[in-house]
Amino acid sequence: MAKKIIAVFVMCIVVMASLQFGNATNEEEVKKYEAKFDVKYVSCYENCMRVCLARLGGRGYCQVKCDEDCEEKEVADKLNIPLH
């Protein structure tokens, strides 16, 4: 009976270790995936700020407007939704 309990315990440890290893490799893939969108967001935001400040001149308004616009584009790109 004790050998069966120890065997089950060892199997649980092996399963948990394999799950943790799977999560670690998955996190690296997620970071690479998100980094691609971070670069696009920063590029979009900088271009938007440049244009908005030249036209309107209100820094606070432009920050909010550009953040919302670029975030919308980022989400649409992640979901493969074409924007107008």
Side-chain angles (χ1 to χ4, degrees):
M1 180 72 172
K3 289 182 182 180
K4 289 181 182 179
I5 293 174
I6 292 173
V8 170
F9 181 70
V10 170
M11 289 301 294
C12 289
I13 291 174
V14 169
V15 169
M16 294 303 292
S18 65
L19 291 175
Q20 291 297 325
F21 180 73
N23 287 343
T25 54
N26 189 25
E27 288 176 8
E28 293 173 8
E29 292 175 12
V30 168
K31 286 180 184 178
K32 288 180 185 177
Y33 178 77
E34 289 179 350
K36 177 178 76 170
F37 291 104
D38 289 343
V39 170
K40 287 183 180 180
Y41 175 84
V42 169
S43 174
C44 173
Y45 185 81
E46 289 173 351
N47 290 337
C48 180
M49 283 295 287
R50 197 174 314 116
V51 171
C52 184
L53 289 174
R55 288 184 184 167
L56 302 173
R59 185 159 188 80
Y61 171 78
C62 289
Q63 286 176 334
V64 173
K65 177 190 176 304
C66 292
D67 182 50
E68 289 176 356
D69 290 350
C70 293
E71 185 176 338
E72 180 181 319
K73 290 178 184 177
E74 179 182 12
V75 170
D77 194 24
K78 283 182 180 179
L79 298 174
N80 296 322
I81 299 172
L83 292 177
H84 45 312

